[in-house]
Amino acid sequence: MKLYSAPGFTSLADHIAMLQAGIQFDLVKVDLETKQIEGGGRYTEINPTGYVPALMFDDGEVLTENVAIVAWIADRAPELASHGHLGRYRLLEMLSLIATEIHKRFPTYLSLPEDVREPTGQQILHWFGFVAGRLDRGYLFGETFTVADAYLFQLARGAAQLGFPLPQPFGDYIARIEQRPAVQAALRREGLA
């Protein structure tokens, strides 16, 4: 299996989740600007959208999009999923919210001139504030780290690095998750630690 990734992008969430789940894979670095794969080849031949992540299975089948990949991981590592009779659907609900309300706003925010970023930045902060209310017991689904936490962590870490004044408890949340061995390994492998 190969995980196509770009250091510092949301593919880090998939990388963390796969390491946490103990899934064996090769990490393949993608240059998003040139769409070149480390070692040669055009990334758009793997994923025509040109976005990371992409997970290529041994049979050549490719799965793209963070929500799909981390849901696939959670199906293989139930300890990384939410529980209860609606557990799978609550996980998909949270992953969808993170993808559509937080993640999708960052490319817009970063592409805007600095003097007109504030409204988009306020929308990002609004949704981080909304999600912050879910972190009172440590993680999005209580006391257990899930694949949704890997996704939220990557976005919150990036937002903090960009200078966003994230609400509490995000400072502690980022620091706690950053200490996890799988997170440390992913950060090292991507050259981010």
Side-chain angles (χ1 to χ4, degrees):
M1 231 182 315
K2 295 179 182 177
L3 177 65
Y4 292 86
S5 177
F9 283 80
T10 56
S11 52
L12 176 63
D14 308 84
H15 188 177
I16 291 167
M18 289 183 74
L19 290 175
Q20 188 71 42
I23 297 171
Q24 299 296 310
F25 65 99
D26 293 324
L27 186 65
V28 181
K29 185 177 175 183
V30 175
D31 182 322
L32 291 178
E33 194 171 308
T34 65
K35 307 297 185 208
Q36 292 295 307
I37 299 168
E38 187 174 64
R42 295 275 310 149
Y43 180 59
T44 52
E45 292 175 14
I46 305 297
N47 182 2
T49 68
Y51 299 136
V52 291
L55 181 60
M56 180 182 282
F57 298 96
D58 293 339
D59 65 1
E61 191 89 31
V62 176
L63 186 61
T64 64
E65 302 297 328
N66 285 302
V67 171
I69 294 171
V70 296
W72 178 87
I73 295 165
D75 285 348
R76 273 126 201 93
E79 69 276 11
L80 296 177
S82 56
H83 300 288
H85 76 286
L86 290 177
R88 176 169 170 64
Y89 308 101
R90 293 293 181 208
L91 180 65
L92 291 173
E93 176 182 61
M94 182 55 64
L95 290 169
S96 296
L97 183 133
I98 293 167
T100 61
E101 301 303 340
I102 300 174
H103 182 182
K104 78 171 185 180
R105 286 181 165 77
F106 275 100
T108 302
Y109 176 83
L110 293 170
S111 69
L112 290 170
E114 285 189 41
D115 60 333
V116 294
R117 285 182 174 174
E118 186 175 343
T120 303
Q122 289 304 314
Q123 291 172 348
I124 291 170
L125 284 173
H126 166 78
W127 289 107
F128 273 119
F130 178 82
V131 174
R134 300 285 309 252
L135 303 177
D136 59 334
R137 290 187 295 147
Y139 298 103
L140 286 166
F141 293 99
E143 298 174 2
T144 304
F145 177 85
T146 68
V147 295
D149 291 293
Y151 195 7
L152 182 61
F153 161 77
Q154 189 285 327
L155 291 166
R157 183 177 187 267
Q161 289 172 339
L162 289 170
F164 277 86
L166 295 177
Q168 281 302 327
F170 273 104
D172 292 340
Y173 178 79
I174 293 166
R176 182 174 51 260
I177 291 176
E178 208 161 57
Q179 295 309 308
R180 299 180 73 83
V183 175
Q184 285 294 307
L187 291 172
R188 278 192 307 277
R189 288 177 72 181
E190 294 196 21
L192 300 172

